Amino acid sequence: MIKTVSTTPYSDQKPGTSGLRKKVPVFQQQNYAENFIQSIFDSLEGFAGQTLVIGGDGRYYNREVIQIAIKMAAANGFGQVLVGRGGILSTPAASNVIRKHKAFGGIILSASHNPGGPTEDFGIKYNIGNGGPAPEKITDAIFARSKAIDSYRIADAADVNLDIEGTQTIEGMTVTVIDPVADYAELMEQLFDFAAIRAMFGGGFRVVFDAMSAVTGPYAKEIIENRLGAPKGSVLNFMPLPDFGGHHPDPNLVHARALYETMMADDAPDFGAASDGDGDRNLIIGRSIFVTPSDSLAMLAANAHLAPGYAKGLSGIARSMPTSGAADRVAEKLGIGMYETPTGWKFFGNLLDADKVTICGEESAGTGSNHVREKDGLWAVLLWLNVLAVRKESVIDIVREHWATYGRNYYSRHDYEEVDSAAANGLMADLRAQLADLPGKSFGGLTVETADDFAYHDPIDKSVSEHQGVRILFAGGSRIVFRLSGTGTSGATLRVYIERYEPDAARHDVETQTALADLIAIADEIAGIKSRTGRDAPSVIT
Ligand code: G16
């Protein structure tokens, strides 16, 4: 039986950088998830009888919302739901399933790298038929609908058994529980030279992958250990846990500290990597060298042709605005297009669909390509492994040679988390007010060349996205960017991105924070970070 249930709107269901992210107790309010899911369906047209993909990163509340989403999909007229066994689908795997099975779209339940558990974070996002995050015109429509919604539709049916692969039926809609790993592993085998990587592992190359008790565990076990033959135990923390073992499943130097220390030790493995809650981010560490996400994008772009899936070269590269300019130099050398987009993977979708770009990346540990429409943690790991297997050099040698060829973009991001929202908004407003006066001013020997609030003009659909971050560019190529995160769930997170370009190879060995010290001081001088936030130091430095 299909029920129509009366409801009242919530005012806070505005999707952020990547879907709606809130604390679990917020999602547990009466009809909260239902309202948002109905608002998604009400903002779409033409899905009657079509396929919807549903899956999540396995965090606390995943199974409950999956049952709700399946029953609502049935009541709203979808013809079929494909759902990952156990309710599991990594974000890139969901993107692949949507594309491969020509689904109308997908609902992915995740709060990415944010912690999970009864009082931690949860999230819902909608992906369109190309497999990518819904563009702003859809997320804006969802938000508008969520403020006016007065009822939702749901099938009054028993829960679907998510743990057995196969087909069940709800109100005439087919629900197929699929192996969450199979389609994705098959795609990776098409893109990369598994035989070469297998041979490298057979020759004693040591890899360690930390799945951080999150969704990539089953994928990494199957691909890295079973198919590529790395020794059992190469994949750590491979059981997805609802609370990620109490940790932040965030692959950075703070939350993946143990991996970092392993990789800095005298007897370190050759290659270390980690992924996040939903499997779309990556951390790459070679023996005694951390590769920043911005550098990793540039290095993967420069070497991608060594993998079979990219042998014919790249059509172009895209990066988010705060990501360092390292990839720009690669694009220039390759003679291909370079696109600078706002933060958020959704902005890459049009460029990928139009084949303007093949590889995209963000400073926030995201790299990916046209194989799906999401960033993809394991993909980045496998591309690195493929490059290492072909070049037969160490990570540190590849990094050093890259810097020697292109110059080094020293880069760091300073996050001030859970700052008072009014203070953070005030800081940004004051920065915007200073923009016109900054050009020509000097700060400790560095002169501001230009300063603006980044606006993106999408070259494909001509949409304009404004207020995407304050950029202060100095003569000589150094840069400071300020923006507020769109993924936090309490207070505001101020992100300060600091970059300096150093062409001289003799100066490529300076410790990053030291190399950026003058710019870090200037950032505080211009924005008054310490006085406004009351913080002496960032909460996280990446
Ligand atoms: C999401 C988006 C990314 C973005 C990141 C950080 O990643 O998909 O495109 O770069 O958030 O965004 P913000 O700086 O606004 O917090 P994820 O891995 O959290 O889904």
Side-chain angles (χ1 to χ4, degrees):
M1 192 182 78
I2 290 170
K3 289 193 301 186
T4 299
V5 181
S6 296
T7 188
T8 49
Y10 288 90
S11 60
D12 63 348
Q13 297 196 324
K14 184 173 171 50
T17 310
S18 182
L20 183 68
R21 288 188 194 166
K22 301 280 177 195
K23 297 286 176 205
V24 166
V26 175
F27 270 103
Q28 286 170 328
Q29 295 174 92
Q30 191 179 21
N31 299 337
Y32 194 90
E34 291 86 344
N35 276 16
F36 190 69
I37 294 169
Q38 188 66 50
S39 299
I40 295 173
F41 295 155
D42 288 350
S43 306
L44 307 173
E45 273 173 18
F47 57 76
Q50 305 277 318
T51 298
L52 182 71
V53 173
I54 302 178
D57 62 13
R59 70 178 57 225
Y60 187 87
Y61 212 42
N62 192 47
R63 282 176 176 260
E64 288 84 347
V65 177
I66 284 187
Q67 295 292 351
I68 292 169
I70 292 173
K71 291 173 193 174
M72 290 184 67
N76 278 272
F78 278 94
Q80 181 182 214
V81 159
L82 299 178
V83 57
R85 191 185 57 242
I88 293 284
L89 275 176
S90 78
T91 288
S95 182
N96 180 47
V97 172
I98 293 170
R99 293 167 67 77
K100 181 170 174 182
H101 297 274
K102 301 198 167 29
F104 185 85
I107 288 180
I108 304 176
L109 308 175
S110 169
S112 188
H113 53 290
N114 297 7
T119 58
E120 297 293 356
D121 292 359
F122 190 76
I124 303 180
K125 66 176 181 166
Y126 178 70
N127 281 30
I128 59 175
N130 74 354
E136 277 187 331
K137 69 173 187 303
I138 295 182
T139 54
D140 288 348
I142 295 170
F143 180 45
R145 180 64 194 145
S146 75
K147 288 186 288 189
I149 191 165
D150 59 9
S151 68
Y152 65 86
R153 287 183 295 287
I154 189 161
D156 190 6
D159 280 358
V160 167
N161 185 339
L162 294 173
D163 297 307
I164 297 175
E165 282 172 39
T167 295
Q168 303 160 58
T169 305
I170 286 193
E171 294 295 340
M173 184 188 81
T174 307
V175 182
T176 306
V177 178
I178 60 170
D179 177 342
V181 176
D183 287 338
Y184 180 84
E186 181 189 304
L187 176 64
M188 295 300 116
E189 287 209 17
Q190 288 161 14
L191 295 174
F192 301 116
D193 188 345
F194 272 38
I197 301 172
R198 211 179 290 121
M200 178 172 75
F201 288 169
F205 182 99
R206 283 164 60 214
V207 61
V208 56
F209 179 90
D210 188 350
M212 303 191 85
S213 306
V215 80
T216 46
Y219 296 85
K221 268 259 159 203
E222 172 61 18
I223 295 171
I224 295 176
E225 292 187 4
N226 296 347
R227 299 198 187 198
L228 291 170
K232 298 273 176 259
S234 300
V235 178
L236 308 175
N237 302 312
F238 57 84
M239 280 289 292
L241 300 175
D243 66 349
F244 309 116
H247 299 292
H248 286 234
D250 192 352
N252 62 29
L253 300 186
V254 174
H255 297 299
R257 193 75 205 167
L259 175 70
Y260 178 75
E261 275 158 14
T262 301
M263 295 307 298
M264 295 302 131
D266 289 344
D267 60 344
D270 297 282
F271 185 80
S275 190
D276 70 332
D278 62 334
D280 56 4
R281 296 184 173 208
N282 71 86
L283 169 68
I284 304 292
I285 314 180
R287 183 188 295 142
S288 70
I289 186 157
F290 157 62
V291 186
T292 69
S294 295
D295 272 352
S296 181
L297 170 66
M299 291 162 195
L300 289 180
N303 290 286
H305 62 280
L306 301 175
Y310 306 93
K312 63 181 201 306
L314 310 178
S315 59
I317 308 171
R319 64 164 171 85
S320 66
M321 180 275 283
T323 303
S324 96
D328 302 31
R329 299 175 190 281
V330 176
E332 197 182 338
K333 187 162 178 201
L334 293 173
I336 56 177
M338 180 75 221
Y339 297 83
E340 189 177 30
T341 59
T343 294
W345 205 263
K346 59 186 173 227
F347 294 102
F348 295 135
N350 282 345
L351 297 169
L352 289 163
D353 284 351
D355 199 26
K356 296 278 185 207
V357 303
T358 309
I359 282 191
C360 313
E362 294 188 276
E363 50 66 40
S364 55
T367 333
S369 87
N370 59 357
H371 68 291
V372 289
R373 291 295 179 273
E374 288 277 7
K375 56 189 188 277
D376 188 342
L378 258 177
W379 170 90
V381 171
L382 294 170
L383 181 48
W384 262 103
L385 290 171
N386 196 146
V387 169
L388 291 164
V390 174
R391 287 187 55 167
K392 304 189 193 321
E393 293 165 73
S394 65
V395 174
I396 197 164
D397 287 346
I398 289 175
V399 169
R400 287 186 175 285
E401 195 209 304
H402 188 96
W403 289 340
T405 307
Y406 296 93
R408 176 171 182 186
N409 290 68
Y410 281 102
Y411 185 84
S412 184
R413 186 178 96 188
H414 290 197
D415 291 339
Y416 296 80
E417 294 176 335
E418 299 191 29
V419 168
D420 174 65
S421 294
N425 287 325
L427 182 151
M428 291 303 295
D430 269 17
L431 274 173
R432 292 190 168 104
Q434 288 184 60
L435 287 174
D437 298 332
L438 281 172
K441 277 198 180 164
S442 288
F443 297 87
L446 285 169
T447 305
V448 177
E449 209 164 61
T450 56
D452 68 2
D453 190 356
F454 181 62
Y456 179 59
H457 297 257
D458 186 305
I460 311 299
D461 69 12
K462 309 294 179 208
S463 61
V464 179
S465 304
E466 294 180 305
H467 307 300
Q468 298 296 325
V470 165
R471 303 190 284 189
I472 301 174
L473 295 102
F474 297 88
S478 294
R479 192 174 74 141
I480 304 171
V481 174
F482 298 87
R483 60 179 283 281
L484 299 184
S485 159
T487 55
T489 55
S490 50
T493 294
L494 171 68
R495 301 206 196 283
V496 187
Y497 312 79
I498 307 132
E499 177 177 2
R500 143 167 290 131
Y501 178 61
E502 177 53 72
D504 183 355
R507 291 203 286 253
H508 285 170
D509 275 331
V510 184
E511 190 274 324
T512 299
Q513 301 305 313
T514 308
L516 299 172
D518 55 346
L519 286 157
I520 293 167
I522 294 170
D524 190 48
E525 188 179 341
I526 295 178
I529 304 169
K530 286 182 186 154
S531 59
R532 283 173 175 278
T533 64
R535 301 282 175 83
D536 279 345
S539 355
V540 178
I541 295 179
T542 48

